[in-house]
Amino acid sequence: MANLPSDVLALGTRRNVMREIFEYGKLLAQKVGAENVFDYSLGNPSVAPPASVNQTIRDVLDGAEGDSIHAYTSAQGDLPNRELLSASLNRRFGENSTADDLYFTMGAAAALTCCFHALTCPGDEYVIPAPYFTEYQVFIAGAGGKVVESKPDPKTFQPDLVSFEAAFSPQTKGVVINSPNNPSGVVYSKETLAQLTDIMRQKAAEYGHPIYLISDEPYREIVFDGFSVPWLPAFYDNTLVCYSYSKSLSLPGERIGYVFVSPKMEDNRLIYAAVCGAGRKLGYVNAPALFQRVAALCDGQTADIAVYQENRNLLYSSLTQMGFTCVEPGGTFYLLIKSMEADSVAFCERAREFCLLLAPADSFSCPGYARIAFCVPTERIRASLPAFQKLADSYQS
Ligand code: PLP
C-alpha cells in the first residue's frame, strides 16, 4: 500500500462540507427538478463580471501583446501590471506604494498561503477572530503554524476584545482579519479595527517582536449602503493585504489576486522577499498572465453588487419576519441564521427536507448557526421563501 502523508490524504478524501452539500444538491435536482432545489451552499458569485472585463480581455488579446500575453511573466507579476495596480491603490486609498510592494497570486487562497509560508517559523501562532473561513486552518497548518481563535461578540459578531487579547502569547506571529466577513457578512467598524490594532501594538511591544496583520479582503468592495471598509495599512504598519478578484469582478475560476506588503512595514524588503520565496517554494511560478493584465486594468471596478444588496434585504427581512434570528450582513453575500435547535447539523438536515441547502457554520467556528450563501438570482430567493416558512413552522409543531 502506498505510504502517503495522512494529513494530505485526509484533505484529498474528506470533502469540504460546502462542496459535499453542493454535490448533494446536484443529485437532489435530478430527483425533484432543479427548480425545486434551493442551493445556498457555495460562495460562487451569481452576477456576471462587468462588461468592461470581457471587453478588456478582448482588447488585450487583440492588441499589441496578442499571443505573447500567454508567456511566463516575472514571478511577482509583470512590472507594468504591478505599476498600474500600485497607482490604482495609491489613488483609491491614499497609499504610497510602488510596484515592488505587490505580488500577483492565484486568488486570495494563494495570497494567504504565500503569507503564511513567508512568515511562519515552527511553533508560531495566528490569532483569528471567529467566525472565520474554514481553509485558514488548512493553510496555517500547512505552513507549520497553529490557529488560536478568539470569540465574537454574540450580538454584533464584531470580535470580542477581551477574548481577542487573551488569545495572544509570545508565540503569536500574526493576526488574520477578514472583513467583510465570511461567514457572517459583518463589516468590522473603524472603532473595532482601531482597538484590535492597539492591542496588537501593545502585544508586539510586550513580546519584543513584530506581530503581523494579514488582512484577507476578497469581499472588500461588496458592501451595502451605510457601510465602508477601512484600508487596514492606514491603521497598522505591519500589514499584508491578501486580495482577490474572485468576488468583486466575479472571476473565481480565473484565479487572480495579490499580496500587498505595506511600504510602512518593518523590514518591508525582507518580508516581500519571503513572500516571493514562498511562492517559489509552493511552485506557483507566476499568476495567470492574461488575468494579471485584466486585473491591473480593471482594479476598483465591480460586478453589479446591487443584486447582492437586494438579495440581502429580501432574505434578511423575510427570515426575521418568519421568526428566525439572523446576523445582519453589512457586506458579502452570506447570512448567518441561528439554528432552531442546539445542533446546527440537525437543523440543516431538517432544512434539506424542504429542499433548502444550508451549510452548518460549525466548520467556520460558529456552532449553533447555519450559513446561507445568497449569491443566487433574486427570483430563486423569492421562490425559496415558502420553504423557509415551512422550516420555521416545523419547529412550532
Ligand atoms: N478568503 C475568504 C474569506 C473566502 O471566502 C475565500 C473564498 O471563498 C477565499 C479567501 C479564497 O478566495 P479565492 O477564490 O480568491 O482564492
Side-chain angles (χ1 to χ4, degrees):
M1 185 150 132
N3 184 20
L4 301 171
S6 55
D7 58 334
V8 173
L9 199 55
L11 286 174
T13 45
R14 255 190 270 129
R15 252 204 220 117
N16 146 321
V17 182
M18 270 66 70
R19 292 259 157 208
E20 197 139 283
I21 301 169
F22 178 68
E23 296 301 329
Y24 170 83
K26 285 202 279 191
L27 291 178
L28 189 62
Q30 282 170 11
K31 271 201 225 149
V32 301
E35 70 287 2
N36 297 313
V37 178
F38 305 107
D39 185 353
Y40 287 114
S41 60
L42 280 190
N44 216 352
S46 52
V47 176
S52 57
V53 164
N54 288 340
Q55 190 54 50
T56 304
I57 295 170
R58 279 186 219 105
D59 292 347
V60 171
L61 291 174
D62 293 345
E65 289 157 286
D67 286 345
S68 67
I69 186 70
H70 302 301
Y72 286 122
T73 73
S74 304
Q76 63 271 50
D78 269 342
L79 182 60
N81 299 335
R82 287 182 291 116
E83 282 174 343
L84 268 174
L85 181 53
S86 154
S88 172
L89 298 181
N90 292 351
R91 200 172 46 246
R92 292 173 64 206
F93 305 118
E95 247 311 331
N96 193 21
S97 70
T98 71
D100 290 337
D101 300 314
L102 287 158
Y103 177 86
F104 274 100
T105 60
M106 283 173 269
L112 290 161
T113 51
C114 283
C115 290
F116 295 134
H117 280 265
L119 298 174
T120 310
C121 299
D124 281 349
E125 297 176 352
Y126 291 87
V127 174
I128 310 189
Y132 60 89
F133 181 52
T134 47
E135 294 298 276
Y136 294 157
Q137 286 278 1
V138 176
F139 299 160
I140 290 174
K146 191 178 148 212
V147 172
V148 182
E149 295 176 13
S150 71
K151 290 194 175 60
D153 175 309
K155 283 213 182 73
T156 62
F157 273 72
Q158 300 274 329
D160 175 303
L161 295 176
V162 174
S163 169
F164 180 72
E165 185 165 2
F168 283 77
S169 83
Q171 279 69 49
T172 304
K173 187 50 134 329
V175 168
V176 184
I177 283 182
N178 167 227
S179 168
N181 181 266
N182 176 9
S184 71
V186 164
V187 180
Y188 292 178
S189 67
K190 252 189 179 166
E191 296 67 40
T192 299
L193 293 173
Q195 287 162 329
L196 293 181
T197 50
D198 277 348
I199 293 172
M200 291 174 67
R201 268 185 288 273
Q202 279 161 24
K203 292 290 173 186
E206 182 185 331
Y207 303 141
H209 63 72
I211 293 179
Y212 299 96
L213 175 58
I214 296 155
S215 179
D216 181 24
E217 305 188 358
Y219 304 95
R220 153 168 286 286
E221 289 83 9
I222 307 183
V223 279
F224 308 134
D225 290 347
F227 289 89
S228 65
V229 181
W231 176 240
L232 275 167
F235 283 76
Y236 193 76
D237 290 350
N238 286 342
T239 297
L240 297 109
V241 175
C242 295
Y243 185 80
S244 168
Y245 296 90
S246 293
K247 319 287 176 170
S248 55
L249 292 182
S250 296
L251 293 173
E254 305 300 354
R255 313 305 306 135
I256 191 73
Y258 60 79
V259 178
F260 171 76
V261 181
S262 171
K264 288 187 282 177
M265 163 135 9
E266 255 174 279
D267 294 325
N268 161 291
R269 290 301 78 202
L270 282 183
I271 304 291
Y272 184 79
V275 169
C276 296
R280 183 175 169 194
K281 177 176 165 187
L282 293 164
Y284 291 155
V285 184
N286 63 247
L290 173 60
F291 281 89
Q292 279 181 35
R293 189 91 195 121
V294 172
L297 290 165
C298 298
D299 184 67
Q301 298 180 25
T302 62
D304 182 7
I305 57 171
V307 175
Y308 300 134
Q309 172 141 351
E310 192 182 350
N311 289 0
R312 190 275 310 244
N313 293 348
L314 177 61
L315 204 50
Y316 181 76
S317 61
S318 307
L319 294 185
T320 45
Q321 268 167 33
M322 288 175 201
F324 289 105
T325 303
C326 304
V327 180
E328 187 171 9
T332 73
F333 32 62
Y334 304 112
L335 180 141
L336 283 178
I337 170 175
K338 196 162 187 196
S339 167
M340 288 190 152
E341 58 187 295
D343 179 354
S344 54
V345 176
F347 174 70
C348 292
E349 262 159 30
R350 186 177 302 197
R352 279 188 193 192
E353 291 169 23
F354 305 103
C355 295
L356 285 171
L357 306 186
L358 319 179
D362 303 52
S363 56
F364 295 93
S365 274
C366 193
Y369 283 82
R371 188 191 76 167
I372 299 176
F374 58 80
C375 40
V376 299
T378 310
E379 60 276 12
R380 296 298 297 150
I381 295 188
R382 223 167 262 122
S384 73
L385 294 177
F388 276 109
Q389 185 66 65
K390 284 184 197 152
L391 175 62
D393 292 347
S394 77
Y395 282 96
Q396 307 310 320
S397 45

